Amino acid sequence: MSLAQFHEALEREPICALRGKRALVTGGAGFIGSHIAEGLLRCGVEVVILDDLSSGHLKNVPSGAKFEQGSVLDEACLARAIEGCDLVFHEAAMVSVPQSVEQPERCLMINVLGTQRVLEAARQAGAKRVMLAASAAAYGDEPSLPSAESDTTAPCSPYAMSKIAGEQLLGVWSKTHGLETLSLRYFNIFGPRQDPRSAYAAVISAFASKLSAGERPIVFGDGKQTRDFTHISNVVLANLLAAASPGTWAGEVLNIGTGHAVSLLELAGQMGKILGQELEPIHESARAGDVEHSRADIGEARRLLGYEPLVGLAEGLGDTLAWFGSED
Ligand SMILES: NC(=O)c1ccc[n+]([C@@H]2O[C@H](COP(=O)([O-])OP(=O)(O)OC[C@H]3O[C@@H](n4cnc5c(N)ncnc54)[C@H](O)[C@@H]3O)[C@@H](O)[C@H]2O)c1
């Protein structure tokens, strides 16, 4: 498993067949969207990014991509951005669970109505395929692990509920309009460019930022919660495989993770070792809407996409911490 294998995979079938296509990446100034855009550009795909910069940054937009600033809720702006696109990667969203608990209506506007507008714009523009950034949050605290797509969903937050609604909208647009759609349920993605500054920062970027500064990382709750931490290159790979796959998609939902999980305490320990900063975490009270345990069953993504995670936790953490080091 390695980053080199990931780069090689972009040059090979089926992904190299994407060359010459045009794609819209919503949320492409954010963490995941900017990496998908970069992967697409590497494959010779023309990329348009639509982002309102609410949590993303202009500096994340890869050179070579066309940038349109605006919201997915703005139909005129969407229509401009999507013109001539074959593929849509819909990554724009209110991404934070705690923020969705504080602002549920805003969350539903952006994540549900926003997704409907993207689907409708894709249909009107004659795009072929839409991929949605769905979330493992859909499983909530469902006790059987690893989580499989056939498991009952049990959303614990407006965010999780909005992501399930998004998946269902994709299924409906496939049934009613024949638009090809596929939802990828991401499991705790991490990597370079993940923003540690937000009050809602994901745990690896928050730990990396603290440890790099020689400060103790903050853990919400007892730190025994477990997560399937997945390096960003695996998510890019899954998206490009989904876009390039020769079959047809009609609202399928696939888990994208690694199939392995570690606790937050183990994670802080591993990161501290890499940095030579083994600092005891500070514990703060658990956050509303957070789940205890999460791990993906990736059997369906293997079967339908030929997806295999190529970068594991140790290499992924090394890559991420090196990026944090270079940002100082
Ligand atoms: N990071 C993870 O672990 C994870 C896990 C599961 C799902 N996801 C999903 O992946 C997607 C990307 O998440 P991320 O971690 O890169 O977050 P991010 O905040 O870095 O990226 C989201 C981007 O969407 C943009 N955006 C937000 N609202 C918008 C709007 N109304 N119109 C246009 N742009 C808008 C933001 O400015 C930002 O650039 C989201 O849909 C998120 O729900 C992420």
Side-chain angles (χ1 to χ4, degrees):
M1 297 210 294
S2 74
L3 270 166
Q5 280 177 300
F6 162 65
H7 290 130
E8 278 161 31
L10 304 192
E11 317 281 321
R12 282 199 313 266
E13 288 284 348
I15 292 175
C16 64
L18 291 172
R19 178 168 293 281
K21 302 242 184 264
R22 186 177 164 99
L24 171 67
V25 183
T26 71
F31 161 52
I32 296 176
S34 67
H35 282 276
I36 293 174
E38 209 172 71
L40 288 164
L41 288 163
R42 265 183 103 108
C43 299
V45 175
E46 210 181 315
V47 175
V48 183
I49 285 175
L50 174 65
D51 198 302
D52 68 357
L53 300 180
S54 54
S55 60
H57 307 279
L58 214 44
K59 67 174 191 296
N60 289 342
V61 172
S63 65
K66 185 172 168 231
F67 179 70
E68 183 88 47
Q69 184 169 347
S71 172
V72 292
L73 292 166
D74 178 340
E75 287 155 301
C77 198
L78 250 178
R80 245 192 336 269
I82 211 166
E83 201 183 334
C85 287
D86 312 284
L87 301 165
V88 178
F89 299 84
H90 180 35
E91 310 300 305
M94 177 191 279
V95 299
S96 154
V97 168
Q99 192 180 2
S100 79
V101 173
E102 287 162 21
Q103 302 172 12
E105 194 169 310
R106 190 168 148 68
C107 171
L108 298 183
M109 282 286 286
I110 299 170
N111 294 5
V112 183
L113 185 61
T115 299
Q116 184 271 322
R117 295 217 166 136
V118 168
L119 288 166
E120 190 47 26
R123 180 182 80 81
Q124 287 186 14
K128 184 165 186 281
R129 201 171 269 188
V130 178
M131 271 61 58
L132 170 71
S135 172
Y139 297 112
D141 264 330
E142 215 272 318
S144 68
L145 290 178
S147 299
E149 294 84 347
S150 54
D151 289 353
T152 320
T153 54
C156 296
S157 64
Y159 170 78
M161 178 267 149
S162 74
K163 286 283 158 178
I164 298 171
E167 294 172 358
Q168 295 188 344
L169 281 169
L170 263 69
V172 170
W173 254 250
S174 285
K175 280 199 183 75
T176 53
H177 302 295
L179 181 68
E180 282 199 44
T181 63
L182 175 65
S183 295
L184 301 175
R185 281 186 184 160
Y186 303 158
F187 278 69
N188 290 85
I189 314 308
F190 72 96
R193 298 206 282 272
Q194 193 164 27
D195 194 346
R197 283 169 298 229
S198 139
Y200 309 113
V203 64
I204 290 187
S205 62
F207 280 7
S209 160
K210 287 282 183 192
L211 288 166
S212 310
E215 294 169 21
R216 292 167 64 192
I218 295 167
V219 166
F220 296 100
D222 63 10
K224 292 185 181 148
Q225 312 91 303
T226 57
R227 297 284 183 272
D228 185 339
F229 291 109
T230 306
H231 185 257
I232 182 66
S233 57
N234 300 318
V235 175
V236 175
L237 181 69
N239 273 281
L240 298 189
L241 285 169
S245 108
T248 51
W249 299 112
E252 286 84 349
V253 176
L254 294 176
N255 288 340
I256 301 302
T258 68
H260 305 283
V262 297
S263 73
L264 301 192
L265 291 179
E266 285 172 286
L267 175 75
Q270 274 202 43
M271 292 176 71
K273 272 204 188 93
I274 297 174
L275 289 169
Q277 294 271 17
E278 289 178 63
L279 300 170
E280 191 63 27
I282 299 170
H283 290 268
E284 291 190 358
S285 46
R287 298 184 304 188
D290 279 351
V291 302
E292 264 309 292
H293 300 290
S294 170
R295 179 161 66 91
D297 177 336
I298 55 171
E300 279 296 280
R302 278 198 173 106
R303 190 171 71 79
L304 295 177
L305 284 183
Y307 163 77
E308 196 58 54
L310 292 177
V311 175
L313 184 62
E315 188 185 10
L317 286 178
D319 174 54
T320 307
L321 291 169
W323 179 81
F324 270 94
S326 70
E327 279 290 283
D328 292 340

